[in-house]
Amino acid sequence: MALDTKTLILDAAEKLFATRGFYGVSMRQITIEAGVDPALANYHFGKKRNLFDAVMLRRAEVLNRERIQMLDDCLRRAKPNPPPLEEIIDAFTHALLNRSNKGGAGWKHYFAIIAQINNHPELGGVIMTQYFDPLAKKFMKAITRALPDAQPEDLYWCYHFLSGALTLTFSGTNRINNLSDGLCNASDLDAVHERLVPFITAGFSIFKSSVSQR
Amino acid sequence: MALDTKTLILDAAEKLFATRGFYGVSMRQITIEAGVDPALANYHFGKKRNLFDAVMLRRAEVLNRERIQMLDDCLRRAKPNPPPLEEIIDAFTHALLNRSNKGGAGWKHYFAIIAQINNHPELGGVIMTQYFDPLAKKFMKAITRALPDAQPEDLYWCYHFLSGALTLTFSGTNRINNLSDGLCNASDLDAVHERLVPFITAGFSIFKSSVSQR
DNA sequence: AACTAATTTCAATATATGTTTAATCTTTTA
DNA sequence: TAAAAGATTAAACATATATTGAAATTAGTT
């Protein structure tokens, strides 16, 4: 069936892109992993880059819907005041960590791709911007409302730090496991989330007033 | 001359690996960029992966020396007490941001590679561990001494967030520029450093006592 | 100057690459 | 059931790939 092979190819591409990056995988390897004729990847998706975009888009749509939903809920609850900063940060990260945790292997692979793309000089600016900037702008608007005396420039840098900390978590390297002699487990995303949100909130908070209290 | 072509190849490899990743670059492209016969890359460095290791090693040695130096200075100044947390974080980041800022194009490329590797599921655990874990352990020892009542597990996670925030800064994507409508400039590493150190210090600090004050 | 060792060149290896073509099979539609 | 549209196959395209081999050149040493 048509839809079945499309998903087979998407899943295979997702898995291989996740472990070896865009350039590290060939169309042939993808179709072999999918158990499908080599020509079918081109037939269904066109060029390799288009296939990659399809992989990105499939789950980005789901994520963006969920994250905007959580932000809107959070804004509504606090009305007419701005919501507490920590709730905004949580709305930003919750769907990501939840999907990565309980969404199965496909989601894990997807987030590993995101981690690589976010740190890729050629693709990062283009692809992350394309799929996630509208959402990021919505969150930044909420954050600037929650910290009205902070300088926007400072807050954008904080967002940048958040983005980096978050995506490294998704990368799937287990460097932290070795480094901590097994104290930490990179796959335990609940443990991450529990610490990431207050960590980031504290970082943002030092810019609460425009004179930073270093 | 032998040493000259070796450096030509290393520089070219560094530049291309930085912009397209390990798998996105061919040995031929590297030698063409270096203006050198294609066989010379193999002659001087062996397999592609070995060339990559040589690129990594060249500057890692310099960095590790500088960063350990800064940490030791910092520890000596504070003796017999542990140094303030912020000074340790600064010792961890200073050489990196300084080299990236004033070291020329080669260093910029090098750090862009680091950013990709750190977030690469296959290579991240291996390569980062190989070149930077001894240093990371030294820093973690100093940090746990500076925050003696914190739980080590929490502090390792904080290190992880620091690592992510830092490497994204080096990635060379200018996503933050667009996102902030030009308010931030990702190339202005002084602006980053000024904010990164207190941001991270504040994050670590919430784990000062073992009961976190969320 | 003569000999050795290191370096560079050019050509060739065999294989992998993304993509396309034309023919065949399957499903949907009328 | 017949025609049309869609999906799959196998083969081929030209090009790019990492790596190697054997000559030719250069540099270093006695």
Side-chain angles (χ1 to χ4, degrees):
Chain A
M1 279 135 220
L3 271 179
D4 252 1
T5 39
K6 264 188 154 177
T7 347
L8 281 174
I9 294 170
L10 278 176
D11 289 344
E14 190 171 58
K15 177 177 174 184
L16 295 181
F17 284 147
T19 47
R20 319 234 308 154
F22 178 75
Y23 298 109
V25 180
S26 73
M27 295 291 266
R28 274 188 161 78
Q29 290 173 314
I30 291 171
T31 51
I32 287 169
E33 171 80 26
V36 136
D37 189 273
L40 283 176
N42 289 293
Y43 173 72
H44 284 291
F45 297 98
K47 307 207 168 300
K48 186 183 179 185
R49 176 55 199 270
N50 292 357
L51 169 58
F52 185 79
D53 282 337
V55 169
M56 291 299 296
L57 188 59
R58 178 168 60 153
R59 302 200 198 269
E61 282 174 337
V62 178
L63 280 182
N64 284 340
R65 213 178 314 122
E66 290 179 352
R67 295 168 84 189
I68 286 179
Q69 173 92 280
M70 278 201 74
L71 177 59
D72 285 343
D73 286 352
C74 165
L75 289 168
R76 198 174 318 107
R77 271 198 311 277
K79 226 178 221 173
N81 299 317
L85 178 61
E86 185 152 1
E87 279 188 30
I88 305 175
I89 306 290
D90 186 74
F92 187 78
T93 59
H94 194 275
L96 303 177
L97 288 148
N98 190 54
R99 284 286 180 186
S100 178
N101 225 356
K102 292 157 191 142
W107 280 96
K108 274 249 149 63
H109 298 145
Y110 178 75
F111 285 116
I113 300 177
I114 296 283
Q116 284 182 70
I117 295 302
N118 201 36
N119 290 76
H120 193 287
E122 257 190 354
L123 305 174
V126 181
I127 295 182
M128 292 302 285
T129 299
Q130 178 182 351
Y131 290 110
F132 295 108
D133 263 19
L135 180 112
K137 286 187 176 163
K138 245 175 114 68
F139 271 93
M140 284 309 297
K141 195 178 283 181
I143 288 173
T144 50
R145 225 161 59 82
L147 300 175
D149 295 329
Q151 306 222 342
E153 190 188 351
D154 291 332
L155 299 182
Y156 278 106
W157 279 118
C158 290
Y159 174 86
H160 172 84
F161 302 144
L162 164 56
S163 174
L166 190 56
T167 51
L168 177 59
T169 301
F170 293 138
S171 67
T173 79
N174 287 339
R175 197 187 155 208
I176 190 81
N177 299 25
N178 305 324
L179 188 63
S180 70
D181 287 317
L183 261 174
C184 300
N185 175 13
S187 310
D188 180 2
L189 293 197
D190 285 329
V192 187
H193 200 196
E194 199 171 280
R195 292 166 176 92
L196 176 65
V197 175
F199 181 96
I200 298 293
T201 306
F204 268 97
S205 297
I206 62 171
F207 298 104
K208 221 175 255 177
S209 67
S210 63
V211 181
S212 90
Q213 54 255 46
R214 300 179 66 181
Chain B
M1 279 136 222
L3 273 178
D4 253 359
T5 41
K6 263 187 155 176
T7 347
L8 281 174
I9 293 170
L10 279 176
D11 289 345
E14 190 171 58
K15 177 176 174 185
L16 295 181
F17 283 146
T19 47
R20 318 234 310 154
F22 178 75
Y23 297 109
V25 180
S26 72
M27 294 291 264
R28 272 191 161 74
Q29 290 172 315
I30 291 170
T31 51
I32 287 170
E33 171 80 25
V36 136
D37 189 273
L40 283 175
N42 288 294
Y43 173 73
H44 285 289
F45 297 98
K47 307 209 168 298
K48 185 183 178 185
R49 176 55 200 270
N50 292 357
L51 170 56
F52 184 79
D53 281 338
V55 169
M56 291 297 297
L57 188 60
R58 178 168 61 153
R59 301 201 198 269
E61 282 174 336
V62 179
L63 280 182
N64 284 340
R65 212 178 314 121
E66 290 179 352
R67 294 169 84 190
I68 286 179
Q69 172 92 281
M70 276 200 77
L71 177 58
D72 285 342
D73 286 353
C74 165
L75 289 167
R76 198 174 319 106
R77 270 200 312 276
K79 227 180 219 171
N81 299 316
L85 179 61
E86 184 151 2
E87 279 187 31
I88 305 176
I89 306 291
D90 187 74
F92 186 79
T93 59
H94 195 274
L96 303 176
L97 288 147
N98 190 53
R99 283 287 178 185
S100 179
N101 224 357
K102 293 158 190 139
W107 281 97
K108 274 248 150 63
H109 297 145
Y110 179 74
F111 285 117
I113 299 177
I114 296 282
Q116 285 181 71
I117 294 302
N118 201 36
N119 290 75
H120 192 288
E122 255 191 355
L123 305 175
V126 182
I127 296 182
M128 291 303 285
T129 298
Q130 178 181 352
Y131 291 111
F132 294 110
D133 263 19
L135 180 112
K137 286 187 175 164
K138 245 175 115 67
F139 271 94
M140 284 310 296
K141 194 177 284 180
I143 289 174
T144 50
R145 225 161 59 81
L147 299 175
D149 295 329
Q151 306 223 342
E153 190 188 351
D154 291 333
L155 299 183
Y156 279 107
W157 280 119
C158 291
Y159 174 86
H160 172 85
F161 302 144
L162 163 57
S163 174
L166 190 56
T167 51
L168 177 60
T169 301
F170 293 138
S171 67
T173 79
N174 287 339
R175 198 187 155 208
I176 190 80
N177 299 26
N178 305 323
L179 187 62
S180 69
D181 287 318
L183 260 175
C184 301
N185 175 13
S187 310
D188 181 2
L189 293 197
D190 285 328
V192 187
H193 200 195
E194 200 171 278
R195 291 166 178 92
L196 176 66
V197 175
F199 181 96
I200 297 294
T201 306
F204 268 97
S205 297
I206 62 171
F207 297 104
K208 218 174 259 177
S209 67
S210 64
V211 181
S212 89
Q213 54 255 46
R214 300 178 65 180

